Amino acid sequence: GQQVMQIPQYQHVQEGEDFTTYCNSSTTLSNIQWYKQRPGGHPVFLIQLVKSGEVKKQKRLTFQFGEAKKNSSLHITATQTTDVGTYFCAGPVYRGSTLGRLYFGRGTQLTVWP
Amino acid sequence: DTAVSQTPKYLVTQMGNDKSIKCEQNLGHDTMYWYKQDSKKFLKIMFSYNNKELIINETVPNRFSPKSPDKAHLNLHINSLELGDSAVYFCASSRGLASTGELFFGEGSRLTVL
C-alpha cells in the first residue's frame, strides 16, 4: 500500500491566491523531500527537510516538517502562473532493511488561472 | 550537458514486442534508479542499482530486466510488452542513497503499447 499520502490531488487557484499541499506518513520519516514537475517535464528536487519542526523558505515557498516527523507541508504565497505543475513529497521507507526506498506521494496538480 | 539522459524519449509499439530504454548520468553518482509514472502521475520506484549492483527490486514482473554495465549507465529491457506497461519511465541518480539525498531525474521515456 501507499506509504506516503498527499492531499489534495488537484488544486485550482486564481493567480495571487495562496496554495498548500500536505503530506502524511503513518511512520516517522528520517527526512522528507519535495519535488516539482512541470507539465510534460520531469521531477526536479526543491528541498529536503531533516529536523523535527523544521521550516525552510525559498522565496514564496515555505516548507514545514512536523514535530513528530510524520507530516509535512508546502505553502506557496501569492501564486504565479510559473508555479503550475505537480508538487510531490517523497519520504524514505525502510522495510526491515537498512536500504530506504524513496516513496513519492501521489502529488498535487496545481493549476493557476491568470 | 544533460546530467541524466535517457533514450529514446518516445516509444510506440505493439503488445508482445520487446523494447529497451537507455540511461546515462554524468554526475559521478553511485546510485541509479528506474521509476514508472502512470497516467495519474503516480511515481513508483522499480529498481535501484548502487555501483552496478542491484539493491532494490520493487516486485516488478520478470519481463522487466535492468542492466548496469557501469555505474554511469542503467538500461531497462522490457519483454512481451503489455497494455499496462504504457507509462513514462524515468531514470534517476543520486550521490548516495535516495533515502538520504536528492534524486536527479532524466527527462523521461514515454512508452505507448498498442
Side-chain angles (χ1 to χ4, degrees), chain A residues 41-57:
Chain A
H42 59 279
V44 174
F45 175 83
L46 293 176
I47 208 160
Q48 177 175 273
L49 303 172
V50 177
K51 298 177 186 173
S52 167
E54 190 168 15
V55 177
K56 285 189 177 179
K57 292 193 175 188

Side-chain angles (χ1 to χ4, degrees), chain A residues 6-79:
Chain A
Q6 189 174 356
I7 57 167
Q9 190 174 353
Y10 302 97
Q11 188 79 55
H12 308 278
V13 300
Q14 196 83 33
E15 191 173 20
E17 291 181 340
D18 292 356
F19 158 77
T20 306
T21 173
Y22 301 90
C23 200
N24 280 292
S25 168
S26 56
T27 58
T28 302
L29 299 169
S30 57
N31 68 79
I32 194 151
Q33 300 176 26
W34 286 91
Y35 291 78
K36 176 183 178 180
Q37 183 177 17
R38 292 183 189 273
H42 59 279
V44 174
F45 175 83
L46 293 176
I47 208 160
Q48 177 175 273
L49 303 172
V50 177
K51 298 177 186 173
S52 167
E54 190 168 15
V55 177
K56 285 189 177 179
K57 292 193 175 188
Q58 289 179 352
K59 297 183 181 177
R60 294 177 295 103
L61 277 61
T62 302
F63 303 85
Q64 290 189 322
F65 201 10
E67 293 290 340
K69 300 180 75 172
K70 287 186 176 182
N71 56 55
S72 181
S73 65
L74 158 58
H75 179 82
I76 303 179
T77 305
T79 54

